[in-house]
Amino acid sequence: MGERLRGQAWWPKQSLTVFQPLVPPDWKMTLREGDLYAQVAFSAAADQGFEAGGHGVVKSGSVWMPDNKINGVDFVLPFRFSQGTWSLGTHGPVTLRIGEVINQFTARNITADLQGDYPWSEANPLLLTDVSVDLLGGKVTMQQLRMPQHDAALLRVNNISSSELISAINPKQFAMSGPFSGALPFWLDNNKWIIKDGWLTNSGPMTLRLDKDTADALVEDNSAAGAINLLRYMEISQSWTKLNLDNLGELTLASTLRGASRVEGQTQAVNLNYTHQENLFTLWRSLRFGDNLQTWLEQHAALPDNRCPTGKECKEQP
């Protein structure tokens, strides 16, 4: 009979700050608060290899970086490792709760649960569920993202404040106010798209105001001066925007706005069709979000073929 080596290991409750020397300096990451503890049981045998199971817990963690401050991190990681596969969430899901992330704007009450196998397979998928975050006066939620992915994960946008969004982006040419909502079909495993056929619409009255200097310059240089004058102040009653974002970060918007222009005491109906294209990764850098999110999307938005189940051909997603 073969022999099996068995053992246990644990990390007693200790401040996260003791791990600061292990953080590479080029990460520019400061561990400020929080505690960590962990426990694992393991075994090893010639016929079955190395196996382990246990859990790790972070409580009230706080991490500061040049572009981000992350506070109130609670993270619970139950796991098992066997035959080269990590089973995450063995006795309940992996849970992540974050009190706030302070950046160009503040996101609060972030939640996410994770359960399944890594590497994933059709028989044993990896599920990200119950994702929620409060930001910009509203909420963004996602019920489920399944890997391998066959259908888009639906990001729901609820009552986001356009004035808070515009303040975060800080364009000089115009200002907006009023809430909007929508749905963004999100792909992590697609050969082209991150968001395909997303849409946004106003969930209440909105206003659009052009900066005076911008409007005056456009009127002076454009033959359509009358139309531009109508946009100096517009009350939007209906709006519909179609949104696409590809793996290279190219964002395309096509919007239809209906409302009334109120300029110099006169009111006139306005129907406006508008298209816009911009690289979102470049925009993130200009907003001082840092390169972390861009890098993560570039690495994961189009997953390599070797993540498919062994012995099966990967089918390209439409």
Side-chain angles (χ1 to χ4, degrees):
M1 297 179 61
E3 295 184 354
R4 175 173 290 274
L5 173 67
R6 300 179 185 273
Q8 290 187 333
W10 60 92
W11 194 282
K13 189 174 182 179
Q14 196 165 6
S15 172
L16 279 177
T17 57
V18 303
F19 296 96
Q20 187 64 56
L22 302 178
V23 178
D26 58 354
W27 288 13
K28 299 179 181 180
M29 178 187 296
T30 302
L31 305 178
R32 296 179 58 87
E33 297 176 359
D35 299 310
L36 178 145
Y37 58 91
Q39 184 174 351
V40 61
F42 61 87
S43 65
D47 57 340
Q48 293 182 336
F50 179 81
E51 296 184 351
H55 66 274
V57 178
V58 173
K59 297 290 291 184
S60 303
S62 179
V63 179
W64 287 18
M65 293 168 282
D67 296 320
N68 305 277
K69 296 179 180 178
I70 305 173
N71 300 316
V73 178
D74 290 335
F75 179 61
V76 180
L77 173 62
F79 71 91
R80 179 175 176 81
F81 178 79
S82 178
Q83 297 181 346
T85 297
W86 294 91
S87 296
L88 305 175
T90 50
H91 300 288
V94 176
T95 61
L96 176 65
R97 305 291 183 263
I98 301 176
E100 63 177 10
V101 176
I102 303 172
N103 200 294
Q104 197 77 5
F105 50 82
T106 298
R108 294 187 173 89
N109 302 321
I110 301 170
T111 68
D113 294 343
L114 184 69
Q115 195 162 22
D117 282 6
Y118 183 85
W120 52 76
S121 66
E122 287 291 350
N124 298 288
L126 185 64
L127 300 176
L128 177 65
T129 59
D130 297 327
V131 176
S132 176
V133 56
D134 297 338
L135 78 165
L136 299 174
K139 184 184 287 288
V140 176
T141 60
M142 181 178 69
Q143 185 175 0
Q144 178 176 288
L145 169 64
R146 179 189 187 275
M147 300 302 297
Q149 187 176 17
H150 301 299
D151 300 298
L154 194 62
L155 285 170
R156 294 193 177 275
V157 177
N158 297 296
N159 288 319
I160 297 297
S161 168
S162 60
S163 60
E164 291 191 35
L165 177 61
I166 294 300
S167 295
I169 299 175
N170 195 28
K172 305 298 184 182
Q173 296 86 357
F174 68 95
M176 291 189 72
S177 65
F180 63 90
S181 300
L184 307 176
F186 176 71
W187 288 96
L188 196 59
D189 187 6
N190 189 278
N191 61 346
K192 182 176 181 180
W193 300 107
I194 297 174
I195 295 174
K196 181 70 170 68
D197 294 333
W199 59 268
L200 300 170
T201 188
N202 61 309
S203 46
M206 300 184 72
T207 62
L208 169 66
R209 184 192 300 272
L210 287 184
D211 171 73
K212 182 180 184 303
D213 292 340
T214 299
D216 290 345
L218 289 172
V219 167
E220 182 177 348
D221 297 337
N222 197 302
S223 59
I228 293 171
N229 275 325
L230 293 177
L231 301 180
R232 289 181 182 269
Y233 181 79
M234 178 180 176
E235 296 177 352
I236 301 170
S237 57
Q238 293 181 324
S239 70
W240 181 266
T241 298
K242 183 178 178 180
L243 182 153
N244 289 296
L245 176 65
D246 68 20
N247 287 339
L248 300 178
E250 289 298 323
L251 174 70
T252 304
L253 303 175
S255 299
T256 299
L257 306 179
R258 302 286 183 267
S261 169
R262 305 189 188 279
V263 179
E264 298 178 349
Q266 296 183 345
T267 300
Q268 186 168 344
V270 176
N271 296 327
L272 175 66
N273 295 316
Y274 171 75
T275 59
H276 181 76
Q277 186 168 354
E278 185 165 3
N279 189 281
L280 196 60
F281 295 157
T282 302
L283 177 62
W284 276 329
R285 284 196 295 268
S286 70
L287 295 177
R288 296 184 291 109
F289 283 134
D291 293 333
N292 294 339
L293 181 57
Q294 175 198 353
T295 301
W296 184 86
L297 281 172
E298 288 177 339
Q299 290 176 349
H300 295 277
L303 297 174
D305 291 342
N306 61 11
R307 290 183 184 262
C308 297
T310 302
K312 296 182 180 180
E313 294 184 359
C314 294
K315 296 182 178 180
E316 184 176 286
Q317 297 296 323

